[in-house]
Amino acid sequence: MHRAFQTAVALHKPNVFIFLGDLFDEGKWCRPEEFVEYVARFHDLFSVPEDAHVLIAVGNHDIGFHYSVNPYLVNRFQRAFDVGPVKMLQIEGVTFIILNSMAMEGDNCFLCKPALNRVKIISKQLSCAAGDSEACRHWQSLALHQYSDPIILQHYPLFRESDAVCNEPDEAPADIKNIMFRERWECISKDSTEMLLELLSPRLVLSGHTHHGCHVKHMNQGSATHEYTIPSFSWRNKRNPTFSMLTVSSNNYSIYKCHMPQEITVISIYVISTACVIAWLVKKKLRSQGIIYTKVSRHID
């Protein structure tokens, strides 16, 4: 992962880096000192230029599923990576909204209630920036510098019944593609999905969680919101991992899927290279022995 990431950074030189959750494997269970080590290891593996923007969504492996989340786990992750249940920011006129998927349960818990309130405030801010005078009357002090349809970043995908709708080269394997998703486990609930689409009207949603790639369209009041689920970046979870490159402006975007070498390809290169080196060394050894024999034979003659 380190080599692939740093190679991509050197080749493409992006100015924004987006991580869609599950930065850790055991973030929920690790002790405080282990968590500090996890954070340091993450920054070491995925080091970025100092002037780059880093956007991080929290995943269930970072703080746990909703049923097991507690304020301590949430707060320590938020402090380490400067995130919240819901966070909006603008970068060069592009509006990003980062959501905590576990805060989309809709049960008014310590995490969900402030997240919902924040979504409603952001909705008013967006309406004001788009020219809604009524919204500006109450939210002028929090107005954005300019309006752009937001891009949502979150760990869970929006609601979909399964990955059967996906048609990507890095989609789920055929044996699990048609398994039905459970709301709030493999995706956020249908109610939360409709709420986010209605209040935020995003033009693009980027998600993760399933380990497999997918592209779906969600209809909202006659317009389509495109969602791209980005697969796992690790050979452990994905035989053919990919990452995505996003080119985005305030009113347009394009997204490209970049394939990384498969593990079997790298192993094959190692095996073939090792065999070639061994063959060359053996050949060199035999050739040197033949030269010595020739010299000895001439001396005897």
Side-chain angles (χ1 to χ4, degrees):
M1 290 189 293
H2 172 75
R3 186 71 273 140
F5 182 82
Q6 297 304 330
T7 300
V9 172
L11 289 175
H12 300 293
K13 297 178 173 60
N15 58 352
V16 179
F17 296 84
I18 299 172
F19 297 91
L20 295 168
D22 282 358
L23 277 57
F24 313 132
D25 186 27
E26 299 178 348
K28 169 189 170 183
W29 294 281
C30 64
R31 297 187 300 272
E33 58 273 19
E34 290 176 321
F35 184 79
V36 172
E37 293 177 2
Y38 282 5
V39 173
R41 183 177 65 178
F42 171 81
H43 289 302
D44 182 57
L45 287 175
F46 302 106
S47 59
V48 302
E50 291 184 359
D51 59 346
H53 299 275
V54 179
L55 309 182
I56 293 177
V58 59
N60 57 287
H61 279 275
D62 301 318
I63 63 172
F65 283 102
H66 179 270
Y67 74 89
S68 60
V69 170
N70 62 58
Y72 169 74
L73 295 175
V74 173
N75 290 334
R76 88 174 171 180
F77 188 90
Q78 291 182 168
R79 286 195 304 269
F81 294 102
D82 187 27
V83 296
V86 181
K87 180 179 180 179
M88 180 175 66
L89 70 161
Q90 282 193 325
I91 301 175
E92 297 183 9
V94 178
T95 304
F96 295 95
I97 300 175
I98 307 172
L99 299 176
N100 182 332
S101 299
M102 283 64 72
M104 295 295 110
E105 192 81 3
D107 63 353
N108 286 325
C109 70
F110 79 95
L111 185 62
C112 300
K113 186 174 182 178
L116 178 58
N117 290 338
R118 181 64 181 145
V119 167
K120 291 178 179 178
I121 292 173
I122 290 175
S123 177
K124 296 297 184 182
Q125 290 179 266
L126 292 170
S127 297
C128 176
D132 185 337
S133 57
E134 181 64 26
C136 289
R137 183 182 304 176
H138 302 285
W139 303 99
Q140 184 65 45
S141 61
L142 299 175
L144 301 172
H145 295 297
Q146 73 177 77
Y147 176 79
S148 68
D149 292 330
I151 297 174
I152 289 180
L153 312 176
Q154 62 179 17
H155 183 60
Y156 287 5
L158 295 178
F159 173 80
R160 61 176 182 257
E161 292 185 349
S162 70
D163 270 349
V165 297
C166 308
N167 185 23
E168 296 289 311
D170 53 359
E171 66 185 19
D175 59 332
I176 65 172
K177 186 176 179 180
N178 294 306
I179 296 177
M180 300 298 290
F181 280 5
R182 299 166 297 172
E183 294 184 52
R184 302 177 177 89
W185 290 88
E186 283 80 37
C187 61
I188 67 173
S189 69
K190 188 174 183 179
D191 289 341
S192 292
T193 296
E194 292 174 351
M195 179 269 294
L196 292 174
L197 293 176
E198 179 181 352
L199 293 180
L200 302 179
S201 298
R203 53 174 159 157
L204 176 66
V205 177
L206 300 178
S207 59
H209 188 52
T210 67
H211 297 172
H212 307 293
C214 190
H215 172 216
V216 296
K217 289 193 295 185
H218 304 274
M219 298 308 299
N220 175 40
Q221 300 177 355
S223 61
T225 293
H226 290 260
E227 178 182 11
Y228 290 87
T229 300
I230 310 302
S232 175
F233 195 66
S234 169
W235 280 332
R236 174 187 174 187
N237 298 322
K238 189 69 178 169
R239 179 182 59 83
N240 55 334
T242 64
F243 63 95
S244 293
M245 293 289 297
L246 177 68
T247 302
V248 60
S249 66
S250 60
N251 58 11
N252 204 355
Y253 72 88
S254 59
I255 189 167
Y256 308 89
K257 192 182 298 289
C258 303
H259 293 261
M260 293 189 293
Q262 296 188 24
E263 188 173 19
I264 186 63
T265 303
V266 176
I267 292 175
S268 298
I269 292 174
Y270 287 161
V271 171
I272 293 172
S273 299
T274 302
C276 290
V277 170
I278 292 174
W280 177 77
L281 291 173
V282 170
K283 184 177 181 180
K284 183 179 179 181
K285 181 69 174 176
L286 293 175
R287 183 177 296 173
S288 64
Q289 289 176 346
I291 293 173
I292 294 173
Y293 177 78
T294 300
K295 288 182 179 179
V296 171
S297 297
R298 287 177 182 175
H299 178 74
I300 294 174
D301 291 342

